[in-house]
């Protein structure tokens, strides 16, 4: 926010948009609602509001990069607009989603919901928008797999952080696969409650070995009160020299 109460883009976003422009990419910022309504509410506010930030920030992206188009579409009156682009908005999301970052080339998209304005942390919107554009437009998107099936913690904040930086994040259960799918570059284990089996360890080892090419990654979160997991702990210690302090 400048001294004149005009929202400006960060240097990181401007650098991304410069690269975006040089690569000739295209994207659409779709704001869910009436443009007249959004601009009226933004201009009528006596103080800085969410409407002000949405309108001014979207305008700034379009001004900084001519290949970015800003559209205002109300899904209640024009659901076909989203169906034609392969964008899914459930009835629950319709009330919370405020914006969609969409690429007509890859047809990937990312939703931005109103929780971005919790605690009035407006900087979160720009970060979410730039991360969404990275995800929607980049050719080689890296996928992170958060393991489940052993009582692991859910990592909502970690997931959001990774998505804000352009990664795709999925939860997966090792028991559902004979081997970890090739699309994953990083696996995350977060304080499991139940023990990993020898089969689980073999899948993780095969994933990291990657037929001798390596290049895959594993991240493990734990604490001093974490349940014992003998096979996992032995594998991390013997193969990678890692241990949990207890």
């Amino acid at each position: 926010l400048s001294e004149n109460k005009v929202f400006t883009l960060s240097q990181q976003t401007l650098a991304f948009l410069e690269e975006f422009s040089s690569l000739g990419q295209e994207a659409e910022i779709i704001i869910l609602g009436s443009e007249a309504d959004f601009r009226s509410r933004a201009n009528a506010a006596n103080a800085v509001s969410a409407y002000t930030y949405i309108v001014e920030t979207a305008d700034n992206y379009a001004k900084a990069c001519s290949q970015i188009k800003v559209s205002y579409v109300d899904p209640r009156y024009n659901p076909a607009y989203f169906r034609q682009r392969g964008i899914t908005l459930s009835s629950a999301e319709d009330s919370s989603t405020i914006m969609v970052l969409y690429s007509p080339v890859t047809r990937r998209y990312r939703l931005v919901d109103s929780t971005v304005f919790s605690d009035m942390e407006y900087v979160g919107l720009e970060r979410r928008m730039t991360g969404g554009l990275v995800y929607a437009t980049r050719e080689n998107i890296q996928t992170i797999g958060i393991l489940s099936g052993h009582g692991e913690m859910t990592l909502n904040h970690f997931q959001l952080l990774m998505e804000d930086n352009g990664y795709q994040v999925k939860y997966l259960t090792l028991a559902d696969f004979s081997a970890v799918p090739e699309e994953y570059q990083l696996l995350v284990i977060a304080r499991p409650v139940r023990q990993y089996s020898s089969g689980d360890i073999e899948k993780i080892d095969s994933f990291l070995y990657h037929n001798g090419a390596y290049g895959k990654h594993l991240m493990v979160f734990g604490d001093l009160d974490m349940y014992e997991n003998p096979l996992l702990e032995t594998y991390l210690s013997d193969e990678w020299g890692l241990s949990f302090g207890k």
Side-chain angles (χ1 to χ4, degrees), residues 106-122:
T106 67
R107 292 183 64 82
R108 287 197 301 268
Y109 65 92
R110 178 145 285 163
L111 307 179
V112 178
D113 63 45
S114 57
T115 58
V116 73
F117 294 119
S118 61
D119 300 321
M120 303 302 281
E121 294 179 356
Y122 289 126

Side-chain angles (χ1 to χ4, degrees), residues 12-25 65 67 134 138:
Q12 292 88 341
T13 290
L14 292 173
F16 163 74
L17 292 176
E18 183 177 354
E19 177 189 6
F20 183 93
S21 180
S22 68
L23 294 174
Q25 296 177 321
C65 181
Q67 288 114 287
V134 170
R138 290 280 169 85

